[in-house]
Amino acid sequence: MPKARVITVEEVIYLRDKLKDEYADVHAQFEEDDKFYELDFLQLLGVPKEFIADATVLPTARQLIDVYTDHVDLANARVTVSQKSVNEDDPKAMAKAEEESDILSKFGRGMLYRSNVEEDISQLRVAAKHQGIYGLGCVKTVYDADRWLDKPEQGDNESDSEYNEKIDEWRNDRDSQMPIVNQAVNPRNIYPDPSYGGRQFVIEVREKVLLDVRSQYPKWSNPQNKKIDERVNLTSYWDNGRRCELADNEPILPVRGGVAKHNYGFVPYVFIESGLGNLSYDGDLAKRYVGILRHLRGVLLSESRNFSIYDVAMKKG
């Protein structure tokens, strides 16, 4: 069987730029959805300029999304693990397979619980909110080695008992940390494989302060000579077996060729669609990813406009 060809850095950059054009329309819709959720549409009301200071944007859009998010049950998530196929005539093997399945199920529920209570903000709730706003939520699940402290080394003048105490403290701190993290990714920052029949890859783009990038990747050369407070454009490419990380189009993973194996065996992004859109005949992504506010914009504008006009009329007597 021929060996699968590995994607190159140049191909990642080319694919990212092509997908930016393909996702331009749906991302423009996402920006409009975001504008309505943030109540940033005062100038769209059409109220005369002399009365614009008295105009009011009603919070209906936020209420719709927040109530939708509240109805997404995040506290009682179910984790199902398929049991290994074993000989049904072997009771010991059946019991062992059932026990392993139960352990993995408990681990999954525990990971979801810790993700909800230990993060600064519930990542799953953020993803549920994205689902309501844009019609698409996304959760990225990855291993984060930085969450596990490095094993301390014994000092020259440090006794074995002192070092053992330090090791015990290190083990306690390490075991209390979860190195697997769930991250809600804004759909505006991702370019999933648009093909039908299963996603083979995902590209994520985002910005980060140069200081953070330089601290995490000290060998990065800063090809555009940006200042310490400027932002760096980061690109992440993931498929079933490979990943590539770019900072201003320069590879930053310490591997030859810039593309590394990740050994996950799957693309670590999960997408949850609202179901309010439609798989159109032409594959239009703007018709597929539809949030609650998409087709209520006119109503929301009219509501705030009518309230503003009535309020101005009452003030003017």
Side-chain angles (χ1 to χ4, degrees), residues 29-48:
Q29 293 291 346
F30 288 169
E31 290 181 7
E32 284 296 306
D33 293 334
D34 193 66
K35 182 183 297 184
F36 275 79
Y37 176 70
E38 298 298 338
L39 308 182
D40 185 23
F41 56 90
L42 180 66
Q43 299 301 325
L44 301 179
L45 297 183
V47 177

Side-chain angles (χ1 to χ4, degrees), residues 88-199:
E88 296 182 0
D89 296 330
D90 188 345
K92 290 185 178 179
M94 288 287 293
K96 183 178 180 181
E98 185 177 349
E99 182 183 3
E100 290 176 351
S101 177
D102 184 56
I103 290 174
L104 288 175
S105 178
K106 289 179 179 178
F107 172 79
R109 291 196 298 270
M111 188 180 72
L112 291 175
Y113 171 77
R114 295 186 64 167
S115 175
N116 273 333
V117 301
E118 292 183 358
E119 298 288 344
D120 295 334
I121 185 173
S122 172
Q123 299 294 313
L124 299 182
R125 180 176 174 83
V126 172
K129 182 172 290 190
H130 289 164
Q131 182 185 352
I133 298 175
Y134 312 113
L136 177 66
C138 176
V139 178
K140 177 182 180 182
T141 303
V142 292
Y143 171 74
D144 185 1
D146 292 336
R147 293 205 170 199
W148 266 6
L149 301 174
D150 294 332
K151 185 177 181 179
E153 297 181 358
Q154 186 172 5
D156 295 336
N157 299 322
E158 190 174 22
S159 66
D160 290 341
S161 61
E162 291 175 335
Y163 180 64
N164 288 335
E165 289 181 4
K166 185 190 294 185
I167 288 294
D168 290 339
E169 183 178 354
W170 166 74
R171 286 199 183 102
N172 181 66
D173 292 339
R174 184 198 63 179
D175 293 344
S176 65
Q177 296 296 322
M178 173 63 73
I180 302 174
V181 295
N182 294 313
Q183 301 170 347
V185 183
N186 192 293
R188 181 62 181 82
N189 296 107
I190 53 178
Y191 303 101
D193 179 3
S195 306
Y196 288 107
R199 294 185 174 92

